[in-house]
Amino acid sequence: MPINYQEIYTQIKQVGQGAKERRKKKEEAQELAKTLLETYSSQLDFLRSKVDSAKTADANIRCAVPLDEALASSYPMPDSVPATFIAADGSQAIADRHSPVQFCVINVGAISMKPDSGETPAVEVESELFFGDAIEENGLTTDGGVALRRDLAERSVIEKMSKGMKGSVVSFTDGTLEIFRAKDIDNANQYRNTVDKYISVLSRLQGRGIISAGYIDKPSSSLVVKLLELTQITIPEEMEKLRNAPPLKYVTDRWLFGYNNKLFQLLPPGHRSAVFKIQSTSEKSYKGVLELHFFYLNVGTEGHPWPVRVEIPRWVVDDKKQLDLLHAVLVEQCRMMGSKPYPYLLHRAHETAVVKNEEKQQIEQMLSLELRRNSEDVDEGSNKQSAKDLKGRTRR
C-alpha cells in the first residue's frame, strides 16, 4: 500500500497550526541574539572568562572562544596569490547483511590544480576493500566507524599528493576538520588509534606548511550563539538551565552570520567573520599548532547570503598570509559554481569518489567469483532483499 496521505495530511495541519507560536519564539530569540552580539562584541576578556567558568562546571561544553577579534568583525576578501589547490572527498559502500558476501569499500578521490599555470589537474583515487573479519577488526560495522576511517583516508590522500609540491598549497575537505567519535562507535581503542593516525597526518601537513581546512556547507551548530548564551546565566548555578532551556534555542550561527537587511548584516558577500577557537572535549587531542579554530564565510551574493563554516588548525590562524589565501581561494572556488556556491574542486573530488550502486554490485560479483574460484562457500542474499529487487511487483 502507498503511504497513508490522509494521516500525514492531518499531522501536517497540526504542524502548520503551531507555526505562529514558533515564529514568535524564534523572532524573540533572534532579537535577543542581535542585542547580545552588539553588547558583548568587544568584551573579549569577559567572554573568555565565561567560557573558562563554564568549562569548569561542565567539561563537555562545546562553544566558540573569541581570540583577539571582536565578535561582529567582518573582513573583505583579500587579493589572491598563486597557489596549488588540493581537494579530497570520500564515499563508501557499507557492509550489508542481506548481501551474499560481507564487504566494505572506502573510496577517496582527490584533485590538485594550479590555476593559470597551464598544467592539467592531477587526479588520485584510492579504493580500500575490507572483507570478512577485517570489517569488525577495523571498526567498520557502523556508519560512524566507516565515517571515521573515511575522514582519515581523505586527509591521508592530501598528504600523499602534496609531497614535493613547491610554493603555497591550500587543501580542503568537505566537513569538519575535527573528527568525532559517533555514538555508534563502541571500541574506544579503535577510535583512539584512528585519531592518533589522523593527528600524525595533520602534523606532517603542518611541518610542510600545507594549509588545511574543513569546509561545512550548511552548518547547523551554534558555537557562537552558545557563547552569547553564557552571558545570560550565572555559572555554575544555572548550567542546567542552559542545557534544558537555552535562551537562544531557536537561533543558529548560520542565521546570525547570514541575516541580511538594511539595518543589520554581519557578513557582506565575500567577507569572513572573526576567527574563534573551538571549545570542546577534543582539545585534549588537538594541541599546540593543531588546536582547532573556525570562522564563518559568506560565499553568497548580494541579497542571497550563504554563510559557511571553515575549520582550521592554529598554524593557519597564526599565519595571516595563509589565512588570507585560504579566504580568497574558497570565495573564488565557490564563485565558479554560480548561483549554488560550493568549492568547485570539492565538487569535482566528490564526482571522482562517489561509489555508485552498480559499482558496488560489480564488486560483489567479482568477490563472489573469486571466492568460488578458491573453493570457498558463498552465501545467498537474503530473501527479503530478493523480494525488494523484484521489478514491477507490489505487495498485496
Side-chain angles (χ1 to χ4, degrees), residues 22 28 45 61 85 111 129 157 163 190 197-198 247 255:
R22 287 194 302 274
E28 290 173 349
D45 289 337
I61 190 167
F85 312 156
I111 300 179
L129 173 71
V157 170
K163 286 180 180 176
Q190 286 176 342
K197 291 176 182 177
Y198 184 82
W255 176 86

Side-chain angles (χ1 to χ4, degrees), residues 97-352:
R97 66 185 181 86
H98 294 288
S99 298
V101 288
Q102 298 298 296
F103 68 94
C104 173
V105 172
I106 293 178
N107 201 51
V108 175
I111 300 179
S112 71
M113 65 180 290
K114 193 170 186 178
D116 303 320
S117 67
E119 299 176 10
T120 302
V123 180
E124 183 84 22
V125 179
E126 292 198 355
S127 306
E128 195 169 9
L129 173 71
F130 301 87
F131 169 74
D133 292 342
I135 298 172
E136 185 170 353
E137 290 168 359
N138 287 278
L140 305 177
T141 57
T142 65
D143 290 346
V146 173
L148 194 66
R149 182 83 180 210
R150 186 194 62 228
D151 289 344
L152 171 61
E154 290 173 358
R155 203 66 56 180
S156 297
V157 170
I158 287 176
E159 193 233 336
K160 177 181 176 182
M161 289 191 79
S162 65
K163 286 180 180 176
M165 286 185 174
K166 305 298 183 183
S168 298
V169 180
V170 180
S171 71
F172 40 93
T173 58
D174 181 77
T176 62
L177 188 67
E178 179 183 12
I179 59 175
F180 295 93
R181 180 179 178 180
K183 293 179 180 178
D184 60 10
I185 300 176
D186 295 325
N187 193 312
N189 288 332
Q190 286 176 342
Y191 170 74
R192 187 67 254 168
N193 289 339
T194 303
V195 171
D196 288 344
K197 291 176 182 177
Y198 184 82
I199 295 297
S200 295
V201 172
L202 279 181
S203 295
R204 290 192 291 273
L205 289 170
Q206 183 272 329
R208 298 208 300 270
I210 308 299
I211 299 172
S212 300
Y215 182 94
I216 299 94
D217 178 52
K218 192 178 177 183
S220 59
S221 64
S222 301
L223 297 170
V224 177
V225 167
K226 190 63 66 177
L227 172 65
L228 294 175
E229 284 182 331
L230 291 176
T231 67
Q232 299 301 286
I233 65 168
T234 303
I235 301 172
E237 290 83 355
E238 296 182 303
M239 288 297 288
E240 193 67 27
K241 172 186 174 182
L242 187 63
R243 285 188 289 267
N244 299 329
L248 300 179
K249 178 181 178 180
Y250 297 98
V251 186
T252 63
D253 284 1
R254 186 166 179 264
W255 176 86
L256 190 64
F257 289 97
Y259 186 79
N260 176 33
N261 68 17
K262 294 180 180 179
L263 299 177
F264 179 81
Q265 184 178 20
L266 203 54
L267 293 183
H271 285 227
R272 75 158 174 88
S273 73
V275 176
F276 301 89
K277 175 188 167 186
I278 299 177
Q279 163 56 43
S280 76
T281 55
S282 66
E283 65 181 354
K284 299 173 184 176
S285 299
Y286 303 86
K287 299 177 181 178
V289 292
L290 304 185
E291 197 174 56
L292 297 176
H293 295 70
F294 72 94
F295 60 86
Y296 282 94
L297 180 65
N298 182 4
V299 297
T301 55
E302 197 65 48
H304 295 88
W306 192 262
V308 302
R309 190 171 83 244
V310 182
E311 293 192 3
I312 50 178
R314 199 181 85 188
W315 86 75
V316 177
V317 180
D318 290 343
D319 189 325
K320 184 65 163 51
K321 290 182 179 179
Q322 286 195 339
L323 181 62
D324 284 348
L325 177 56
L326 175 62
H327 178 176
V329 165
L330 289 178
V331 174
E332 289 175 346
Q333 282 280 301
C334 287
R335 287 176 177 172
M336 293 175 69
M337 294 294 286
S339 61
K340 298 293 184 182
Y342 184 76
Y344 168 73
L345 215 58
L346 267 181
H347 168 65
R348 287 284 310 278
H350 171 75
E351 289 183 324
T352 303

Side-chain angles (χ1 to χ4, degrees), residues 53-96:
S53 298
K55 185 167 61 172
T56 302
D58 181 2
N60 294 317
I61 190 167
R62 183 174 172 81
C63 67
V65 182
L67 300 181
D68 56 1
E69 299 170 324
L71 271 58
S73 298
S74 177
Y75 299 90
M77 174 185 168
D79 294 331
S80 61
V81 297
T84 301
F85 312 156
I86 307 176
D89 195 30
S91 183
Q92 64 279 324
I94 299 176
D96 181 1

Side-chain angles (χ1 to χ4, degrees), residues 358-372:
E358 54 265 31
E359 292 173 323
K360 180 181 178 181
Q361 292 174 350
Q362 187 171 359
I363 294 171
E364 181 180 294
Q365 292 170 1
M366 292 168 59
L367 187 54
S368 297
L369 182 62
E370 183 64 22
L371 292 172
R372 290 191 179 101

Side-chain angles (χ1 to χ4, degrees), residues 32 98 219 258 274 374:
L32 176 58
H98 294 288
N374 287 274

